[in-house]
């Protein structure tokens, strides 16, 4: 499902608000051989402004791909800020590291290779400072477990953003056997049952077709 005008609106606003950016254009060229599923420019800018709004110093990303969203968020970090991005595919991670270096962010952005569940357990064991912002954008079926780990490593005031929760409306397919649909339905149920959170879903249209983000602000522990 899509409408030509969704793309046209993204093209119109992006031309004015996310104008020529040689680094990100090179990243997009470099990522051409990877799945074309990175966030849009408008969405990347949105992640950047969320990070700035909450003055994020520590950011966690689950699902790096070629580093496009990581660069948008990494650009919002202060001098002593850090972003850790988790990626299963070593080739994606290699492309991402090259792109992150091209963006001049190699001292702030670290890509860790491995299954995100394992990397999240390691991060928890390391006992570092909690994350201010978490962006979850990996395999959809395991999203509830990534979300639980994110809440575990958060503090009151942390913001957790989840991509691709609506998936062209498949979110409401209650009888679906699709593990990704089931994963996103479990996520929303989990968010609704967790009294520590203020959470919502905002649907989106545009170059990513019909989809949506879930947002959860940690308000208690
Ligand atoms: N956030 C990126 C897009 C991520 S696409 C951007 O907007 O630029 C999803 C990524 O999650 C892919 O690179 C895929 O390899 C990765 N992924 C899939 N399963 C994973 C897992 N179990 N652990 C970590 N990463 C995983
Ligand atoms: C897919 C994954 C994504 O993270 C996304 O933003 C869009 C599509 C996919 O796996 O199809
Ligand atoms: Mg996504």
């Amino acid at each position: 499902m899509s409408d030509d005008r969704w793309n046209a609106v993204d093209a119109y606003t992006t031309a004015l608000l996310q104008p020529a950016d040689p680094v990100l254009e090179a990243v997009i060229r470099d990522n051409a051989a990877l799945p074309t599923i990175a966030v849009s420019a408008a969405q990347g800018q949105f992640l950047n402004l969320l990070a700035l709004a909450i003055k994020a110093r520590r950011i966690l990303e689950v699902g790096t791909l070629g580093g496009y969203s990581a660069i948008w968020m990494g650009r919002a970090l202060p001098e002593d800020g850090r972003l850790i991005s988790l990626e299963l595919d070593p080739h994606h991670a290699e492309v991402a590291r090259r792109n992150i270096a091209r963006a001049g962010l190699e001292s702030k952005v670290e890509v860790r290779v491995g299954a995100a569940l394992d990397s999240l357990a390691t991060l928890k064991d390391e006992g570092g400072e909690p994350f201010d912002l978490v962006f979850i954008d990996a395999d959809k079926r395991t999203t509830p477990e990534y979300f639980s780990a994110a809440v575990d490593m958060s503090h009151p005031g942390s913001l957790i953003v989840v991509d691709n929760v609506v998936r062209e409306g498949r979110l409401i397919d209650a009888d679906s056997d699709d593990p990704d649909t089931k994963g996103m339905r479990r996520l929303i149920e989990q968010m609704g049952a967790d009294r520590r959170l203020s959470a919502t879903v905002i649907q989106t249209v545009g170059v990513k077709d019909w989809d949506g983000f879930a947002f959860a602000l940690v308000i208690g522990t």
Side-chain angles (χ1 to χ4, degrees):
M1 182 172 177
S2 71
D3 181 316
D4 287 344
R5 288 178 302 176
W6 297 352
N7 288 339
V9 169
D10 260 338
Y12 170 72
T13 64
T14 297
L16 291 167
L17 302 176
Q18 289 82 39
D21 184 321
V23 168
L24 286 175
E25 279 157 19
V27 169
I28 289 165
R29 270 199 308 280
D30 221 55
N31 288 2
L34 307 183
T36 51
I37 54 177
V39 296
S40 68
Q43 293 171 345
Q45 178 92 59
F46 184 56
L47 292 170
N48 177 280
L49 73 83
L50 284 178
L52 288 173
I54 66 167
K55 301 182 166 62
R57 276 186 51 249
R58 282 182 54 83
I59 303 177
L60 173 64
E61 177 174 68
V62 186
T64 317
L65 193 66
Y68 184 77
S69 53
I71 290 169
W72 274 110
M73 292 188 287
R75 284 174 167 181
L77 285 170
E79 215 36 68
D80 64 344
R82 192 155 187 82
L83 185 156
I84 299 175
S85 187
L86 311 180
E87 174 55 52
L88 177 65
D89 186 315
H91 176 62
H92 293 180
E94 185 191 314
V95 173
R97 288 190 185 115
R98 192 161 65 232
N99 286 330
I100 287 160
R102 185 188 273 144
L105 289 168
E106 65 272 37
S107 64
K108 294 181 184 173
V109 179
E110 176 191 354
V111 181
R112 293 195 183 185
V113 178
L117 274 184
D118 298 337
S119 303
L120 289 164
T122 303
L123 273 173
K124 214 177 153 191
D125 288 345
E126 286 173 7
E129 277 181 76
F131 292 99
D132 307 306
L133 174 66
V134 182
F135 180 50
I136 301 176
D137 189 22
D139 56 312
K140 309 310 166 190
R141 63 199 64 192
T142 322
T143 298
E145 285 71 38
Y146 301 152
F147 185 79
S148 295
V151 175
D152 280 350
M153 291 189 278
S154 69
H155 58 78
S158 296
L159 178 62
I160 305 170
V161 180
V162 184
D163 196 18
N164 312 118
V165 300
V166 176
R167 304 176 63 250
E168 305 195 319
R170 292 197 289 283
L171 182 63
I172 60 169
D173 293 346
D175 299 327
S176 174
D177 291 326
D178 171 29
D180 296 335
T181 298
K182 289 164 102 169
M184 286 311 185
R185 290 178 61 82
R186 264 199 306 133
L187 171 75
I188 307 305
E189 284 162 25
Q190 186 178 318
M191 283 178 157
D194 192 333
R195 303 299 299 271
R196 298 169 295 179
L197 310 174
S198 170
T200 192
V201 168
I202 299 295
Q203 301 186 68
T204 55
V205 296
V207 294
K208 302 283 320 251
D209 291 331
W210 175 23
D211 212 323
F213 294 98
F215 299 95
L217 184 70
V218 179
I219 52 180
T221 46

